[in-house]
């Protein structure tokens, strides 16, 4: 079995709102680059499947050459190789078409895992587009995966709980975060080994852009002014003040 | 514009999409997903019992082409995210996810970078597919019911084996006027029980950050934030939550945030109306006692 995990390198998603700046409608280039948070859950899920079913695992990404260094972390977590399509489009159709190209080149892919949402554009749509382009079944927000004969048995998280689903054939699954797929930190040996693992860089194909115009990107103002309540000694007094303020404004 | 809503039969979710549809048409059509009567008045209604997104995409695409729908509305949800992107490829149609505002002239807004920025897009090719973020549009009051015809499924790709409802005590998070949420700062699963005690006294519900859910201290259904529940309570207590932008994205429409955090620099205080710099273990039991005394 050959599993592909999609990983995207993004600008630091932990930058607080107050420090966030844009250049050319995108996060300022000065922010450090890091792996998407949900992508790490997807990689961990892929590694667990690899360990359980003795599969092979390839990390596939679309991004800039400079990202290779960060993507090696994904390889260190348990991938065998990295395939990077070099490009800098933000268009989800173009990204999906390029990921399809990279996956087609691998020829024998059975399962594609992706984080449920990237940590920059936050769209959560590229994996679903890719599935349709590949002709694979798409299931989003997957928390658990098992092989059941020639089928996949998955648990999908929903707004009210979860669904147990079964599908045959090839699939793209978007992975949500659960305690079971919180990434394990790779051991030093794996980090060194990852430096020697193969990296295929592919030139991007053109792809049809999604027909939509981005008009504007701006930073919304956060207008709350916090009133700090005393918290040094008399907590009973603090509790009373808080409750009376909330009541005054008919909030409770 | 010919507008089609595709949504589970759930009055609040439907109501929000009906409100959005009024930006595009007088009365939308609907594909209602699930069983039961379809609340509200729709020009034309179809019903499909199968609730698995992957099974619906093909037949929805044919319906959209045959009927000439121009705007397709879904909720940003498990169902919506399962349908929107594959459908967009099938129809060569643009898709905008997590829409929070509709401006005139077919301009729609969505957040990005964890809500630190907002982008607006002009829809200039139809059909266009929009998934709508919950709690940004007042739910329309749905009167009466609409009769439907069956939308048959021709391609069953995925089988639904079982569904599990996560039971929550008391009021559902989405409807609660008071939410007491805990983060990684709560420290253990057991400590979450005092959040429940406080919530019970305030007739509220307990939420959590992704940090607390990742630790296994709270259920994924309790996660508040951009990839959890979007909530709009009167009061949101954030206990031991740092206030990452992705968490704040879920409480943008909360009227009042009360932050309790040991770290006076924590970002949550930038969103809070009232802040208490303290260990939550010192103040929460006192709040509970005070409320009990007052009862
Ligand atoms: C694409 C994407 C989507 C995401 N979606 C979500 C989402 O939907 N919801 C969400 O919550 N996060 C989401 N996140 C994750 C988010 O970035 C943060 O990692 C997460 O919110 C942190 O959780 P936390 O505040 O509980 O933990 P931490 O950031 O670790 O904060 C813990 C806080 O507790 C305080 N503390 C510690 N002990 C005490 C004590 N005894 N008393 C009082 N305070 C104490 C600390 O000072 C600290 O501020 C998302 C991230 C990405 C990239």
């Amino acid at each position: 079995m050959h599993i592909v995990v999609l990983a995207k390198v993004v600008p630091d998603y932990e930058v607080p709102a107050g420090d966030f700046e844009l250049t050319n409608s995108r996060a300022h280039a000065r922010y450090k680059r890091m792996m998407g948070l949900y992508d790490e859950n997807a990689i961990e899920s892929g590694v667990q499947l690899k360990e359980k079913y003795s599969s092979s695992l390839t990390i596939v990404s679309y991004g800039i050459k400079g990202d290779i260094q960060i993507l090696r972390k994904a390889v260190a977590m348990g991938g065998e190789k990295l395939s990077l399509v070099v490009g800098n489009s933000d268009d989800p159709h173009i990204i999906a078409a390029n990921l399809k190209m990279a996956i087609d080149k691998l020829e024998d892919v059975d399962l594609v895992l992706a984080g449920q949402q990237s940590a920059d554009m936050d769209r959560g749509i590229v994996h679903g587009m890719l599935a349709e382009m590949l002709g694979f079944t798409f299931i989003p927000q997957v928390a658990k995966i098992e092989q059941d004969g020639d089928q996949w048995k998955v648990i999908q998280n929903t707004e009210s709980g979860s669904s147990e689903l079964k599908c045959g054939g090839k699939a793209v699954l978007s992975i949500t975060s659960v305690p079971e797929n919180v990434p394990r930190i790779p051991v030093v040996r794996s980090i060194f080994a990852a430096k020697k693992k193969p990296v295929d860089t592919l030139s991007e194909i053109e792809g049809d852009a999604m027909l939509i115009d981005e008009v504007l990107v701006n930073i919304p103002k956060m207008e709350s002014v916090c009133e700090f309540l005393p918290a040094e000694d008399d907590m009973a007094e603090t509790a009373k003040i808080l409750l009376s303020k909330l009541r005054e404004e008919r909030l409770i | 514009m010919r507008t089609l809503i595709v949504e589970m039969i759930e009055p609040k979710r439907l109501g929000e999409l009906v409100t959005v549809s009024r930006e595009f048409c007088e009365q939308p059509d609907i594909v209602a997903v699930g069983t039961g009567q379809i609340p509200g008045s729709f020009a034309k209604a179809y019903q499909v019992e199968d609730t698995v997104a992957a099974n619906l995409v093909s037949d929805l695409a044919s319906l959209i082409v045959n009927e000439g729908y121009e705007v397709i509305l879904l909720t940003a949800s498990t169902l919506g995210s399962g349908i929107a992107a594959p459908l967009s490829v099938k129809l060569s149609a643009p898709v905008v996810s997590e829409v929070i505002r509709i401006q005139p002239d077919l301009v729609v807004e969505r957040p990005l970078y964890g809500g630190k920025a907002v982008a607006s897009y002009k829809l200039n090719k139809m059909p266009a597919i929009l998934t709508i973020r919950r709690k940004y549009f007042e739910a329309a009051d749905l009167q009466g019911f609409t009769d439907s015809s069956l939308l048959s499924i021709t391609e069953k790709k995925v089988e639904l084996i079982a569904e599990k409802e996560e039971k929550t005590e008391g009021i559902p998070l989405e409807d609660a006027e008071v939410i007491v949420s805990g983060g990684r700062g709560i420290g253990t699963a057991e400590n979450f029980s005092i959040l429940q005690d406080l919530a019970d006294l305030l007739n509220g519900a307990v939420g959590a950050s992704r940090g607390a859910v990742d630790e296994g201290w709270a259920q994924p259904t309790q996660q508040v934030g951009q990839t959890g529940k979007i909530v709009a309570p009167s009061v949101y207590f954030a206990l031991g939550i740092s206030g990452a932008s992705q968490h704040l994205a879920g409480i943008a429409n909360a009227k009042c945030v009360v932050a309790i955090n040991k770290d006076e620099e924590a970002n949550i205080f930038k969103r809070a109306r009232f802040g208490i710099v303290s260990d939550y273990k010192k103040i929460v039991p006192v709040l509970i006692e005070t409320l009990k005394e007052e009862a």
Side-chain angles (χ1 to χ4, degrees):
Chain A
M1 181 173 37
H2 189 172
I3 302 168
V4 156
V5 184
L6 306 178
K8 185 180 190 189
V9 178
V10 295
D12 186 354
Y13 53 79
E14 287 176 342
V15 174
D19 302 334
F20 188 72
E21 278 183 291
L22 295 165
T23 33
N24 296 327
S25 299
R26 291 293 177 268
H28 200 285
R30 72 183 151 87
Y31 301 125
K32 80 168 182 238
R33 290 180 69 77
M34 59 208 289
M35 190 108 66
L37 188 59
Y38 278 99
D39 297 358
E40 294 195 3
N41 299 112
I43 297 162
E44 178 61 38
S45 301
V47 173
Q48 289 177 16
L49 285 177
K50 173 191 147 159
E51 289 167 354
K52 194 164 169 193
Y53 301 116
S54 309
S55 333
S56 49
L57 182 72
T58 303
I59 308 295
V60 173
S61 185
Y62 172 88
I64 53 172
K65 266 204 173 136
D67 291 344
I68 291 176
Q69 200 193 331
I70 296 149
L71 289 163
R72 284 200 197 276
K73 182 182 167 196
V75 179
M77 283 168 71
E80 273 120 48
K81 62 175 177 184
L82 167 68
S83 178
L84 171 74
V85 186
V86 180
N88 60 6
S89 173
D90 265 333
D91 184 282
H93 269 193
I94 292 179
I95 298 172
N98 275 285
L99 294 170
K100 175 188 185 307
M101 180 268 288
I103 289 168
D104 284 344
K105 278 212 158 69
L106 293 171
E107 287 181 346
D108 59 349
V109 174
D110 304 288
L111 183 68
V112 179
L113 308 182
Q116 80 169 59
Q117 191 171 94
S118 71
D120 53 355
M121 304 303 279
D122 295 336
R123 280 182 297 228
I125 56 176
V126 167
H127 34 50
M129 291 177 170
L130 171 67
E132 190 60 35
M133 289 178 186
L134 286 167
F136 288 16
T137 301
F138 174 57
I139 306 179
Q141 277 145 247
V142 169
K144 197 174 165 202
I145 310 157
E146 261 176 49
Q147 213 177 10
D148 187 8
D150 57 357
Q151 299 216 303
W152 299 110
K153 210 167 86 181
V154 307
I155 303 291
Q156 175 185 56
N157 280 359
T158 63
E159 290 73 31
S160 56
S162 59
S163 300
E164 191 182 328
L165 305 169
K166 224 176 189 183
C167 73
K170 302 185 176 216
V172 175
L173 309 177
S174 95
I175 304 296
T176 192
S177 72
V178 279
E180 293 75 22
N181 66 19
V182 169
R184 289 165 285 176
I185 297 165
V187 294
V188 178
R189 189 159 33 93
S190 310
I191 296 170
F192 279 109
K195 290 190 178 147
K196 295 204 189 90
K197 293 204 176 152
V199 178
D200 280 345
T201 50
L202 308 171
S203 309
E204 74 175 320
I205 53 167
E206 221 169 82
D208 295 325
M210 200 164 81
L211 291 167
I212 195 163
D213 284 336
E214 186 178 291
V215 183
L216 182 76
V217 180
N218 61 13
I219 297 178
K221 282 203 182 75
M222 236 186 354
E223 271 159 6
S224 194
V225 179
C226 185
E227 180 182 342
F228 283 94
L229 305 182
E232 287 81 43
D233 16 64
D234 192 355
M235 281 297 185
E237 189 56 27
T238 308
K240 280 201 180 108
I241 297 173
L242 175 63
L243 292 174
S244 79
K245 283 186 186 281
L246 294 176
R247 285 203 184 101
E248 241 168 59
E249 297 188 27
R250 296 180 182 280
L251 292 164
I252 55 171
Chain B
M1 296 182 95
R2 290 214 66 196
T3 303
L4 179 70
I5 287 175
V6 181
E7 187 51 272
M8 294 279 195
I9 303 178
E10 205 269 86
K12 289 214 172 105
R13 278 161 68 152
L14 282 177
E16 288 174 18
L17 293 183
V18 167
T19 301
V20 175
S21 74
R22 289 180 183 147
E23 304 284 337
F24 303 106
C25 71
E26 288 215 345
Q27 199 177 32
D29 289 0
I30 185 170
V31 172
V33 181
T35 50
Q37 280 195 298
I38 304 168
S41 172
F42 298 92
K44 215 185 217 178
Y46 305 87
Q47 188 159 4
V48 57
E49 279 196 13
D50 196 323
T51 54
V52 180
N55 297 340
L56 309 182
V57 175
S58 262
D59 297 293
L60 280 175
S62 308
L63 178 74
I64 291 161
V65 172
N66 293 341
E67 292 284 325
Y69 290 113
E70 293 163 289
V71 180
I72 322 300
L73 300 177
L74 304 119
T75 298
S77 61
T78 309
L79 179 75
S81 63
I83 293 175
L87 188 62
S88 115
V89 172
K90 268 214 173 351
L91 299 170
S92 297
V95 54
V96 185
S97 55
E98 307 268 356
V99 169
I100 58 167
R101 207 161 296 121
I102 317 264
Q103 296 177 18
D105 300 326
L106 298 176
V107 174
V108 298
E109 290 184 20
R110 71 176 303 275
L112 60 168
Y113 298 114
K116 289 183 278 248
V118 173
S120 38
Y121 301 92
K122 167 107 178 138
L123 305 173
N124 46 24
K125 178 174 180 284
M126 300 299 162
I129 303 160
L130 306 179
T131 75
I132 309 295
R133 188 173 272 193
R134 296 268 347 248
K135 300 280 173 184
Y136 276 80
F137 298 88
E138 184 100 12
D141 188 15
L142 303 176
Q143 302 283 343
F145 295 96
T146 305
D147 290 334
S148 63
S149 55
L150 210 68
L151 180 75
S152 53
I153 293 298
T154 48
E155 200 186 9
K156 201 170 174 73
K157 291 180 165 182
V158 178
E159 195 189 335
L160 174 65
I161 312 286
E163 275 177 299
K164 195 172 133 201
E165 286 262 321
E166 206 57 67
K167 291 218 165 41
T168 39
E169 286 173 43
I171 305 165
L173 202 51
E174 302 93 310
D175 303 332
E177 281 301 318
V178 176
I179 293 176
V180 181
S181 263
R184 207 171 252 129
I186 297 305
T188 64
E190 294 71 50
N191 289 355
F192 255 79
S193 66
I194 79 163
L195 275 56
Q196 187 70 55
D197 295 343
L198 180 59
D200 288 347
L201 284 160
L202 292 165
N203 203 17
V206 174
S209 71
R210 180 183 148 148
V213 174
D214 278 355
E215 296 287 353
W217 305 336
Q219 295 301 321
T221 47
Q222 290 178 290
Q223 182 177 316
V224 171
Q226 79 177 53
T227 44
K229 297 251 158 72
I230 306 291
V231 294
S234 295
V235 187
Y236 186 82
F237 286 87
L239 314 183
I241 292 178
S242 59
S245 61
Q246 296 87 357
H247 185 81
L248 301 185
I251 57 169
N253 295 323
K255 280 199 199 106
C256 169
V257 175
V258 177
I260 299 172
N261 196 301
K262 280 205 297 202
D263 174 10
E264 61 180 345
E265 301 285 321
N267 201 52
I268 191 71
F269 291 120
K270 300 220 168 78
R271 171 63 182 86
R273 259 303 298 291
F274 301 111
I276 300 174
V277 181
S278 162
D279 187 329
Y280 80 93
K281 287 191 212 114
K282 290 192 186 148
I283 179 78
V284 175
V286 185
L287 271 169
I288 290 172
E289 272 319 300
T290 315
L291 283 163
K292 277 187 181 157
E293 276 164 25
E294 288 172 358

